[in-house]
Amino acid sequence: MTPKTLLRLLIFFIGLTSTFFSNFVLGSQQNILEQVQQTAEQFVTALIDPPDNGELHVQASPLDSRLRLSPCPTELEATVPGKQSLTGNVTVLVKCPAADWQVYVPVKTQLMLPRVVATKPLGRGMVITTDDLTIQMVDLRFQRGMIFERPAQILGSKMKRNVKMGDTIQGNDICLVCRNDTVRINAGGSNLSIITEGVALSDGSLGEQVRVQNTRSKKIINASVTAVGEVSVNY
């Protein structure tokens, strides 16, 4: 074998070894970064207790691949520094005291809850029917005011404002009792229950107070909206 051939073989093996070592280091670093991300996700997941009908989604942002961290001989530690809300985006501090390094990891959280949404554009004045509504999982961050979990709660109510397809139906979008509607008045006390009719003098959604005029007595009362076309008052 000639000296030139030996030199070429030597250069080839050096390059092969260098490539192998480089790939090994990169692979090790990637594993460490993934471990850091998983630690951050698991820590945040343990802090949030979603309701039985909810879904919790936790996703750590990818870390900079140029970050170089030495292997941690002990279990990684995680904390949420400062007074941060756990809804939306939260920053988790992951550190390895034994190797003397720490990393801040951005983590996105989504607490999803079932909510009634519009299956199509709904215009002001429309009366809501079954075909207008469906249930979807909605991020808690985008839920404001009164929200509904079951379509049956608002079937027959009237739209007070325009709502786009896919939007959550909120209490101020509709009136279960609308001004000038004929409503059923459920009046009761400890030993007496009376059902009569009245006319609503204002709009109201579930649980809101509205003014109602009794059809018979013409007396005006304040009553609580309990369902579509129904109000209740306690004497």
Side-chain angles (χ1 to χ4, degrees), residues 66-129:
R66 296 170 297 179
L67 193 62
R68 294 291 177 261
L69 302 175
S70 58
C72 187
T74 59
E75 185 175 353
L76 296 176
E77 299 179 4
T79 57
V80 175
K83 297 181 180 179
Q84 299 184 61
S85 170
L86 296 179
T87 58
N89 297 321
V90 58
T91 299
V92 179
L93 175 61
V94 178
K95 58 184 177 180
C96 175
D100 194 26
W101 56 257
Q102 63 181 32
V103 180
Y104 288 95
V105 184
V107 178
K108 180 181 179 180
T109 67
Q110 288 181 302
L111 181 56
M112 312 294 286
L113 295 170
R115 294 295 183 254
V116 175
V117 302
T119 59
K120 57 186 178 183
L122 302 178
R124 181 178 179 181
M126 289 181 59
V127 176
I128 295 177
T129 67

Side-chain angles (χ1 to χ4, degrees), residues 147-179:
I147 306 294
F148 304 97
E149 296 185 1
R150 295 176 289 108
Q153 293 175 286
I154 59 175
L155 288 178
S157 59
K158 187 180 297 184
M159 298 299 302
K160 293 174 60 177
R161 62 186 69 190
N162 298 331
V163 170
K164 298 178 182 178
M165 181 176 66
D167 280 358
T168 304
I169 305 295
Q170 303 181 25
N172 58 2
D173 294 328
I174 60 174
C175 53
L176 275 69
V177 168
C178 303
R179 184 178 180 182

Side-chain angles (χ1 to χ4, degrees), residues 1-11 13:
M1 187 176 292
T2 65
K4 287 184 178 181
T5 302
L6 288 174
L7 180 60
R8 289 174 182 173
L9 287 174
L10 180 61
I11 294 173
F13 281 115

Side-chain angles (χ1 to χ4, degrees), residues 218-233:
K218 305 302 180 182
K219 182 179 179 180
I220 297 176
I221 60 173
N222 290 320
S224 177
V225 177
T226 52
V228 175
E230 290 188 9
V231 298
S232 294
V233 60

